[in-house]
Amino acid sequence: MEIGEKILAVAPMMDLTDRHCRSFHRILTKKAHLYSEMINTGAIIYGDAHRQLDFDHDEHYVILQLGGSDPTDLAKAAKRGEEWGYDQIDLNCGCPSERVQKGSFGACLMAEPNLVAECVKAMKDAVSIPISVKHRLGLNEMNPDHPLDYQFALDFMCAVSQAGASQVTIHARNAVLKGLSPKENRMIPPLRYDIAKRLRVDLQKHFSKVKVLLNGGLENNQMIHNHWDDFDGFMIGRAAYHTPAMLLAWDRMIETQGQDYGYFLNEQTWIEIQEGIIRYSQSWLKQFSAESSEHFYLAAITRHVLGLPHGLGGARLWRQQLSDHRLIAPVKTHQQIEQFFTQASRSLRIFSDENFVTQYDD
């Protein structure tokens, strides 16, 4: 990454940003930072590390997000992530799920900044790759306009920066630890981009090289453009997942300092993306071929691309075909993979029948 270059990232999302999702997103953008799902340290240290950590080499720049609160375990898991080839380690201090809280990690860690600092230092000492932290604006009923509550967030950011974090990502909402679901925590607490902007300015008075990314409520590239000069980067979650075509503009946004943020999903672009999806799907099938292709199930990939034609004519029928078990289950060969995606795309009105046949039918 060039000095001063902004970061655009797809947020870590449980049950969503697996290796197939990240490989699809990499087809759309070469410069975005891609995050794993949050992985508990115990699953890496004591579980099936290959299942938890394997990724495709094309995914770089790829970041392993860890969940945990024990400095020793986090150091071990971070070291394993570095050995696996990840480019960065991120510590989750933002997830408000009660299930996550029971494991003593996630957003509840913001109440223990000294412990988080120990965790960051332990990981920093164990690896040579960057360490970052994702967190919330505050906890529960805190009012970021109140000096003490504002200082709470700033002190947390300073503590992890002092310990060695080179990047922090602020989800610009409070985390309500009791009474709200994770979904409600992404919607009900008010967004305060103005406070996040102040925190960046104040943090960088003390730690000028620590990058501050904005997360939360960013629904489109226009919103990223509007805040471009206020942060060192932006992390987008659900919008990037459900309307992934927005990622098509990200490389140009980085190159033009946020000025060129539009994209056009035309026939040629669609064909190029589809060819990438087909190649990746065929590569994934090849990994099963040594044993039995019966274990291959294309839905592991198609579930992540359903939002690609959002806004295009015929998108609904395309989504139906890519989520229909009766159509997906029989797909077990390279040729069937190509035929499956080719047939599904016939429903999209960006193609005329003549052009589509010319491209795909021999």
Side-chain angles (χ1 to χ4, degrees):
M1 184 177 66
E2 298 177 7
I3 295 175
E5 188 172 87
K6 300 279 185 174
I7 296 170
L8 293 179
V10 179
M13 291 174 281
M14 293 295 292
D15 300 320
L16 296 181
T17 50
D18 61 18
R19 61 183 300 175
H20 302 309
C21 176
R22 297 191 304 266
S23 291
F24 165 54
H25 287 165
R26 183 56 74 215
I27 293 170
L28 306 179
T29 167
K30 302 306 178 188
K31 293 193 173 187
H33 287 196
L34 304 178
Y35 282 71
S36 74
E37 305 169 79
M38 180 183 66
I39 305 176
N40 187 300
T41 55
I44 295 173
I45 297 170
Y46 306 108
D48 185 343
H50 282 279
R51 187 172 69 85
Q52 299 291 342
L53 296 176
D54 282 355
F55 64 92
D56 192 272
H57 66 88
D58 289 337
E59 292 177 38
H60 294 289
Y61 194 91
V62 60
I63 301 164
L64 171 64
Q65 189 185 65
L66 296 176
S69 58
D70 181 88
T72 301
D73 285 350
L74 281 164
K76 290 179 181 177
K79 185 64 176 176
R80 185 70 64 87
E82 181 182 42
E83 293 169 349
W84 232 261
Y86 284 87
D87 299 296
Q88 183 175 317
I89 306 294
D90 188 72
L91 178 62
N92 186 314
C93 293
C95 180
S97 164
E98 292 191 19
R99 178 169 61 88
V100 167
Q101 291 178 54
K102 290 178 181 178
S104 298
F105 55 93
C108 64
L109 283 177
M110 286 194 70
E112 302 183 71
N114 292 334
L115 173 59
V116 176
E118 289 180 33
C119 293
V120 170
K121 185 178 187 304
M123 291 188 290
K124 183 67 176 175
D125 290 344
V127 302
S128 60
I129 56 178
I131 303 296
S132 56
V133 177
K134 185 175 186 292
H135 61 92
R136 290 276 184 144
L137 204 60
L139 297 175
N140 300 318
E141 301 302 320
M142 287 184 175
N143 178 3
D145 289 312
H146 192 284
L148 290 178
D149 292 342
Y150 177 85
Q151 193 65 42
F152 169 85
L154 181 59
D155 287 346
F156 177 86
M157 295 168 67
C158 286
V160 300
S161 299
Q162 180 67 48
S166 59
Q167 175 188 305
V168 294
T169 300
I170 308 173
H171 185 141
R173 288 186 172 96
N174 282 5
V176 179
L177 301 181
K178 298 291 182 183
L180 293 183
S181 69
K183 181 178 180 179
E184 291 170 332
N185 259 290
R186 295 193 300 269
M187 300 172 64
I188 294 177
L191 281 164
R192 294 297 305 272
Y193 294 156
D194 58 327
I195 298 296
K197 178 181 175 180
R198 273 182 58 199
L199 285 168
R200 179 207 179 206
V201 171
D202 288 341
L203 176 71
Q204 292 180 346
K205 290 176 183 176
H206 306 284
F207 301 95
S208 59
K209 295 183 179 180
V210 175
K211 293 181 178 293
V212 180
L213 275 59
L214 177 67
N215 172 239
L218 297 167
E219 297 178 354
N220 52 57
N221 292 335
Q222 170 79 59
M223 294 183 69
I224 299 172
H225 164 80
N226 292 345
H227 298 280
W228 190 262
D229 295 329
D230 298 333
F231 297 92
D232 301 299
F234 303 86
M235 179 183 284
I236 294 81
R238 263 67 191 174
Y241 187 84
H242 294 298
T243 55
M246 68 183 292
L247 276 63
L248 291 169
W250 283 14
D251 293 353
R252 291 197 311 278
M253 289 184 73
I254 293 171
E255 293 164 1
T256 64
Q257 291 297 304
Q259 297 306 304
D260 187 358
Y261 56 86
Y263 61 91
F264 183 47
L265 189 53
N266 59 15
E267 177 184 340
Q268 184 57 41
T269 302
W270 182 273
I271 290 171
E272 292 171 359
I273 295 169
Q274 179 164 276
E275 288 174 348
I277 295 171
I278 290 171
R279 284 194 301 271
Y280 175 75
S281 301
Q282 291 172 336
S283 174
W284 183 241
L285 170 63
K286 189 176 180 179
Q287 298 188 39
F288 290 85
S289 298
E291 299 178 6
S292 171
S293 62
E294 289 303 310
H295 297 291
F296 175 79
Y297 189 40
L298 189 61
I301 297 169
T302 60
R303 75 185 186 98
H304 297 301
V305 306
L306 297 178
L308 180 60
H310 178 80
L312 295 180
R316 182 178 179 183
L317 179 56
W318 189 85
R319 291 193 301 270
Q320 289 174 346
Q321 294 180 79
L322 262 69
S323 55
D324 189 332
H325 170 75
R326 295 168 300 175
L327 298 177
I328 295 171
V331 178
K332 300 295 182 183
T333 69
H334 285 209
Q335 183 179 13
Q336 287 171 345
I337 288 172
E338 183 168 359
Q339 290 173 343
F340 174 83
F341 285 107
T342 300
Q343 180 61 39
S345 291
R346 293 180 186 276
S347 66
L348 298 175
R349 289 198 286 272
I350 56 173
F351 298 105
S352 69
D353 290 341
E354 180 181 355
N355 287 343
F356 194 78
V357 170
T358 298
Q359 287 288 343
Y360 283 100
D361 287 355
D362 296 327

